[in-house]
Amino acid sequence: IFIDLLLGFSFLTLVFTIFSIAAMTQAINIIDGLHGLSLGTSIIITSTVSYLAFINEDITILLISLIFISSLAGIFILNFPSGKLFIGDGGAYLVGNILGILVILISQRNLEISPLVCCLIVCYPIYELLRSFFRRLISKDSHSFEPDNKHLHSFVYTRLSKICSNKIANPSTTIIILLLPTFTCFWAIFFYANNKLLLCGIFLTIFLYEIIINFTYASDRKIN
């Protein structure tokens, strides 16, 4: 209720919307470290948006989503698993920007869809972004705004690369990590009108993320 009251002011709504789109833009760029990871995550999220648009008869968002999915899929088949084509930073920013706008619009245009659906379906990339931001803020590292290898996909890839070749470890890591956005999006589809279950899905996703990253980090240190 308190957040709804704050967002009743047009200026705060504008600032929050800009911040949300910018966050999603950067979040996709952060996870663009392995073949197919950012593209696969974006396809899964956009597919969820298109399904929600379909069941709510929002033809405009449905058509835009399907066009966007087709564009992403065309690059995905060349990016995963061989890495024959990359989207680069500019491509990641563009994909994240469009994705952020679509996720906001599907809830704003369809009152039956809880805003928490938006939070849930983008939970993995956004949590990766927020976790990285606060981790760097707490560490007070002078290079805190430069790329590092302390993300979930980095830890999983490092662990797998020690037991198999890089050619196998790269796509294998992508498949493992894509289970997270797949989980969040299926949860959102089944419970898109239930706020309590959507909140449970968000906390469960964060919990699973922390389990995976801490288990991978601990096992990697044990090997070393």
Side-chain angles (χ1 to χ4, degrees):
I1 295 176
F2 178 70
I3 295 177
D4 287 340
L5 290 174
L6 287 178
L7 293 180
F9 297 95
S10 57
F11 174 74
L12 291 179
T13 302
L14 177 62
V15 171
F16 181 75
T17 302
I18 293 173
F19 172 79
S20 300
I21 296 174
M24 193 65 206
T25 301
Q26 179 60 16
I28 294 299
N29 184 55
I30 280 183
I31 64 173
D32 187 36
L34 297 172
H35 299 343
L37 182 56
S38 62
L39 287 171
T41 300
S42 301
I43 290 173
I44 292 169
I45 294 173
T46 311
S47 297
T48 306
V49 171
S50 65
Y51 175 78
L52 293 173
F54 173 75
I55 63 176
N56 286 277
E57 300 180 351
D58 190 339
I59 304 302
T60 300
I61 298 299
L62 175 61
L63 292 177
I64 294 174
S65 298
L66 292 177
I67 293 172
F68 191 44
I69 292 171
S70 300
S71 302
L72 295 175
I75 308 173
F76 182 81
I77 59 176
L78 295 174
N79 178 254
F80 180 85
S82 59
K84 293 181 179 179
L85 182 67
F86 300 96
I87 60 175
D89 287 343
Y93 289 139
L94 176 62
V95 171
N97 185 271
I98 295 174
L99 204 56
I101 294 172
L102 282 176
V103 170
I104 291 174
L105 285 178
I106 190 62
S107 177
Q108 189 269 333
R109 290 167 56 94
N110 300 277
L111 298 179
E112 299 83 1
I113 300 176
S114 169
L116 289 175
V117 170
C118 301
C119 298
L120 179 56
I121 63 178
V122 301
C123 188
Y124 159 58
I126 290 296
Y127 183 68
E128 183 76 75
L129 172 68
L130 294 176
R131 192 181 192 277
S132 299
F133 173 77
F134 286 109
R135 169 174 54 79
R136 294 171 178 180
L137 192 65
I138 294 172
S139 67
K140 297 181 180 180
D141 188 350
S142 59
H143 303 289
S144 59
F145 291 100
E146 296 181 4
D148 59 32
N149 59 349
K150 296 181 180 180
H151 305 296
L152 177 62
H153 61 269
S154 304
F155 283 118
V156 176
Y157 171 74
T158 300
R159 179 67 179 86
L160 288 180
S161 62
K162 293 181 179 180
I163 59 178
C164 59
S165 66
N166 291 339
K167 188 175 181 180
I168 297 176
N170 193 307
S172 297
T173 302
T174 295
I175 293 173
I176 292 173
I177 302 300
L178 285 181
L179 293 176
L180 266 181
T182 300
F183 166 77
T184 61
C185 288
F186 269 108
W187 191 288
I189 288 173
F190 286 115
F191 307 114
Y192 71 89
N194 190 316
N195 284 338
K196 291 182 179 180
L197 289 177
L198 289 172
L199 277 173
C200 289
I202 292 172
F203 288 120
L204 184 56
T205 302
I206 295 173
F207 179 71
L208 291 173
Y209 178 104
E210 291 297 335
I211 286 181
I212 297 172
I213 196 169
N214 283 285
F215 173 78
T216 307
Y217 178 68
S219 61
D220 187 50
R221 288 188 62 184
K222 189 175 181 180
I223 291 176
N224 292 334

